[in-house]
Every structure is written in C-alpha cells, then in structure tokens.
Amino acid sequence: QQQVKQSPQSLIVQKGGISIINCAYENTAFDYFPWYQQFPGKGPALLIAIRPDVSEKKEGRFTISFNKSAKQFSLHIMDSQPGDSATYFCAAGTLGSRLTFGEGTQLTVNP
Amino acid sequence: ETGVTQSPTHLIKTRGQQVTLRCSSQSGHNTVSWYQQALGQGPQFIFQYYREEENGRGNFPPRFSGLQFPNYSSELNVNALELDDSALYLCASSPRQGTIYEQYFGPGTRLTVT
C-alpha cells in the first residue's frame, strides 16, 4: 500500500511543448503530494506540491492536477524549455513523515 | 539562509568496512530524514530524526543507524558495507511545525562500495 507508480519512464518533448508526467498511489492515508526535479549529480529540488483538498495548483509554468477518487496526480510543464531537461520524481507522504517516491521520469526537451 | 549540506561529497569504501555520512540541516529545521537513491531509481526512505530521537524507519537492516545532535545536524552510519550499499545518500530537512510538510534535500553523498 506504500507504492507510488510513475509514468512514463522517459519523455522527449520539443521546446515550447507541454510535458505531462503521471503518478498513481495506493495508500489513502497520503495527504501531501510533492514533485521534485533532479539534475545529474545533484539532490532533488522541491518543485511544487499539492494537498488533496484542491484539484489543481499552478506555479508559473508548472501545474499539478489531482484526482482524489482515482488516486492519481500529474505534473504539467507548459512551454517546456531545454533547461527543464532533468529527472522528475513524484512523491506522496503524510504530515511530518516519510516520503514515498515514484521511480522517476527522465525528461528531455529538444531545442 | 544556508541550505542542507552534506559531507563528504564522494566516498569509496571496501566491502565489510564501516562509513559515517554527515548532514547539516537548513537553518530553523529540526527534523532530518535520510534516503538512499540507487542509480536510476527514486529515493528510498531510511529513517527520520526529530529532536534527537528516531521517528520512523524504512525497510533497512539494523546495520544502518543514525544520530541527531542538539544543533539538529545528523549522521548516518552503515556497518558491514555490502556492494548493494553503493548509492547516493540523501539527507532532507524539514521545519516540523504544525502543518509544514516540505522536505528539502541536500546534494547527497555518493558512496561506492568495492
């Protein structure tokens, strides 16, 4: 019940396009869903996060969509740029507790 | 404001040896979590420390142990190293106050076991 499943494993998008990464979880106790961005040789950086009391959260070009009944959430990157090329991880957790991560999506944005 | 720092950056050890990794939490953060990230995978939770006490542990054997100090910095100790322990070890700190959930990661320590 602790799994978080992420797809796709890799994604190639043209500059200016929309990147979409999906995650599904099983544990209904999860109430915090962050997305992290990781560049090679670096630690994960918190990008954006959502709580289940809202269905969508937008910060700049990044949007999280959340579907509580389906136990799914997704990250949309609008106007994707080559600098967005990185590995993206979804995660799920509860207050003050551990995060359970997905397996990651390697995003490549071609110029 | 200083972010999460970890030392050393890289480390090479031999199977059977012991290793200590260090983490300094972000200013104002009193909770530290450790994660193991194998190559090409997502981070896996090892354990969390809050006010110098272990506060949750993942599916890791007892040879993985830790400490948190009064200044909220932390150590991860791994005994009897195995080849499969080769990974990036990440420390994350969070300001455990009320409804704050965010965890902020350091750059990690790359451990290679030969």
Side-chain angles (χ1 to χ4, degrees):
Chain A
Q1 273 215 324
Q2 293 296 319
Q3 275 190 318
V4 175
K5 295 182 179 180
Q6 183 172 347
S7 64
Q9 189 174 18
S10 63
L11 181 62
I12 300 175
V13 174
Q14 291 300 118
K15 179 182 175 181
I18 302 173
S19 304
I20 302 174
I21 305 171
N22 301 298
C23 283
Y25 63 97
E26 299 173 357
N27 188 346
T28 55
F30 288 144
D31 62 355
Y32 172 65
F33 303 90
W35 285 88
Y36 283 84
Q37 179 189 58
Q38 187 175 29
F39 291 103
K42 305 291 185 182
L46 180 61
L47 200 58
I48 186 172
I50 197 167
R51 297 286 309 281
D53 52 345
V54 297
S55 60
E56 187 175 281
K57 182 175 181 180
K58 183 177 180 180
E59 289 185 1
R61 296 185 295 110
F62 302 93
T63 300
I64 299 179
S65 296
F66 184 81
N67 186 330
K68 187 174 181 178
S69 61
K71 292 188 286 186
Q72 295 175 348
F73 58 110
S74 61
L75 175 70
H76 295 233
I77 305 174
M78 311 300 287
D79 187 26
S80 298
Q81 300 296 313
D84 296 331
S85 297
T87 301
Y88 292 80
F89 293 96
C90 64
T94 56
L95 173 61
S97 186
R98 70 187 70 183
L99 291 176
T100 299
F101 283 82
E103 288 299 300
T105 296
Q106 187 168 353
L107 171 66
T108 301
V109 181
N110 289 327
Chain B
E1 184 177 279
T2 307
V4 178
T5 60
Q6 292 185 243
S7 63
T9 305
H10 297 89
L11 203 53
I12 300 175
K13 288 287 188 177
T14 303
R15 188 172 51 184
Q17 286 187 317
Q18 177 267 341
V19 69
T20 297
L21 310 181
R22 294 177 175 82
C23 170
S24 291
S25 60
Q26 188 167 324
S27 176
H29 291 190
N30 59 15
T31 301
V32 172
S33 302
W34 285 92
Y35 293 80
Q36 180 196 65
Q37 186 177 24
L39 198 61
Q41 296 185 19
Q44 298 289 318
F45 176 78
I46 302 175
F47 43 56
Q48 183 182 86
Y49 278 84
Y50 171 61
R51 292 187 176 178
E52 303 177 54
E53 297 285 332
E54 187 178 291
N55 180 49
R57 188 179 183 93
N59 189 27
F60 282 82
R63 58 190 186 84
F64 285 78
S65 63
L67 284 173
Q68 186 181 32
F69 300 99
N71 65 355
Y72 305 129
S73 65
S74 178
E75 286 183 354
L76 165 64
N77 299 290
V78 187
N79 293 322
L81 283 167
E82 300 177 359
L83 296 179
D84 284 349
D85 295 334
S86 295
L88 181 67
Y89 287 85
L90 296 162
C91 166
S93 74
S94 52
R96 184 168 175 163
Q97 303 168 17
T99 58
I100 306 269
Y101 291 68
E102 290 86 358
Q103 294 190 21
Y104 298 92
F105 284 84
T109 293
R110 173 70 64 186
L111 173 64
T112 302
V113 182
T114 62

